[in-house]
């Protein structure tokens, strides 16, 4: 697949869908059952963010119908509207009529080496208190909530962006220096990412095909299939929320000692919500019981984090032979940054998007993409990969490991081309796609899912609930 950045034309949405489908090695004939409507631009960007959102969502939904077709012979049509898909990837929601603040006051892009950015620019991610305090320690500022953006700006006048990026990583903070595309491509991690497939789907171990429960024609394609969700920050929860919309029994398992973000109210729709501290024997026992009956486990911890607790991919499959494990990383599973912390906004900065978007807009300051499209597209790639691996497990047996990275998804987005009129997109209007439901967080107003199926409904039957609302056991 050609991932070179294209300036001549943007890739059509169907071609983008074909690229993803080919990466998952799924039957090409199924693409005839996908209908994609709408066209770019749908949000203000020089990148084909609407195409990326639509293609990734359509691929996940279509792969789900392939699972359903194997189970009951029903080959459903899938329809996705580009504008709806792009807006769904904006993470917009309200609780009790109010839009929650999704960013810490210190999370921002800052000039380094002076107010003119002579030392480059750096993005600091401070949404978690421990990441914020680690960055403040590096800057020599008091920890806690008293620091302001002007304080950080002044402190960064004495730093070069690349130096601060490295010091922050060593201190456990989360930051990324601004790079151009060519600088990222020459970076050892950029080269490692370029060598990765968009989706890595690999078999390991011996196991017979798992027995799936029967599926009636009127049931959603993933009904009866069980998914353990060990994710917290956007991409993973978005992917498992999609699986829940397609009928899967999803159990979100939070660690009670780890923080969450406000978006959990939106991304927990359709899921059971339990808690477990896998350092504790009783919680491990309950988790192991749930694991034995799971078909898929999705996780987004840094490499070796779960392995150190004896829950790496191969260790999980030893406990539950035939399991599909889906893993997300920021920068891929190889290279010097394989274990580095990262979020969508940081990956945009490090890999060149913020610089390229600013150039297209005519701005001297870096410019972010209009939504966290790397997170959302990666989430739907995770859902697609889970379904592709489930299908292979049925055909071939074995246990399976699916790997997705934000940086590799970004390289795919680059390959979709640029939009010369992208900033002329209309303003975002979420109202036509919003629905209001009760939740354990309050009255939740959020967007309906943008993929529709011809024979079964798509959506969430369980309300979003706070962590620990359910026992760690399948109903």
């Amino acid at each position: 697949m050609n991932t070179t950045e294209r300036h001549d034309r943007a890739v059509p949405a169907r071609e983008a869908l074909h690229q993803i489908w080919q990466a998952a090695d799924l039957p090409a004939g199924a693409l005839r059952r996908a209908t994609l409507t709408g066209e770019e631009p749908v949000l203000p960007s020089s990148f084909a963010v609407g195409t990326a959102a639509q293609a990734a969502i359509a691929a996940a939904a279509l792969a789900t119908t392939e699972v359903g077709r194997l189970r009951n012979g029903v080959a459903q049509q899938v329809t996705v509207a580009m504008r709806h898909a792009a807006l769904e990837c904006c993470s917009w929601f309200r609780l009790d009529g109010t839009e929650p603040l999704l960013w810490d006051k210190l999370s921002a892009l800052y000039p380094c080496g002076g107010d003119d950015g002579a030392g480059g620019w750096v993005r600091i991610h401070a949404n978690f208190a421990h990441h914020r305090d680690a960055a403040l320690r590096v800057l020599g500022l008091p920890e806690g909530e008293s620091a302001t953006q002007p304080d950080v700006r002044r402190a960064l006048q004495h730093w070069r962006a690349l130096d601060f990026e490295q010091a922050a990583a060593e201190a456990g903070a989360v930051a990324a220096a601004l790079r151009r595309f060519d600088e990222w491509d020459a970076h050892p991690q950029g080269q490692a990412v370029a060598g990765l497939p968009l989706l890595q789907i690999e078999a390991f171990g011996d196991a017979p095909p798992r027995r799936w429960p029967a599926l009636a024609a009127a049931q959603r394609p993933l009904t009866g299939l069980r998914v353990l969700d060990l994710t917290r920050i956007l991409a993973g929860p978005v992917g498992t929320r999609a699986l829940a919309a397609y009928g899967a029994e999803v159990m979100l398992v939070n660690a009670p000692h780890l923080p969450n973000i406000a978006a959990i109210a939106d991304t927990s729709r359709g899921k059971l919500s339990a808690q477990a501290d896998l350092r504790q024997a009783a919680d491990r026992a309950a988790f192991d019981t749930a694991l034995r009956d799971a078909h898929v486990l999705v996780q987004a911890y840094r490499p070796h984090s779960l392995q150190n607790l004896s829950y790496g991919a191969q260790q999980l499959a030893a406990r539950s032979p035939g399991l599909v494990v889906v893993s997300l990383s920021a920068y891929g599973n190889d290279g010097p940054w394989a274990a580095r912390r990262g979020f969508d906004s940081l990956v945009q900065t490090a890999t060149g998007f913020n610089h390229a978007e600013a150039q297209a807009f005519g701005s001297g300051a870096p410019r972010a993409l209009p939504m966290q499209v790397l997170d959302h597209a990666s989430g739907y790639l995770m859902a697609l990969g889970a379904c592709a691996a489930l299908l292979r497990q049925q055909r071939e047996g074995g246990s399976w490991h699916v790997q997705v990275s934000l940086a590799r998804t970004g390289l795919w987005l680059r390959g979709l081309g640029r939009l010369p009129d992208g900033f002329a997109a209309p303003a975002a209007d979420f109202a036509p796609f919003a629905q209001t439901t009760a939740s354990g967080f309050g009255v939740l107003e959020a967007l309906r899912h943008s993929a529709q199926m011809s024979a079964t409904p798509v959506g969430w039957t369980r309300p979003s609930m706070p962590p620990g609302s359910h026992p760690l056991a399948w109903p």
Side-chain angles (χ1 to χ4, degrees), residues 326-343:
V326 183
S327 299
L328 174 76
S329 64
Y331 295 104
N333 56 11
D334 193 20
W337 285 16
R340 182 162 292 197
R341 296 175 175 88
F343 302 103

Side-chain angles (χ1 to χ4, degrees), residues 68 73 95 107 112 136 146 181 185 209 220 236 267 292 329 400 409 422 443:
L95 285 173
S107 292
C112 295
L136 292 174
S146 62
F181 280 143
D185 292 343
R220 290 175 294 169
T267 59
R292 283 195 291 271
S329 64
W400 292 80
T409 300
V443 177

Side-chain angles (χ1 to χ4, degrees), residues 68-79:
R69 185 169 70 90
L70 179 64
R71 298 179 70 189
N72 64 10
V74 177
Q76 296 199 60
Q77 304 288 321
V78 169
T79 302

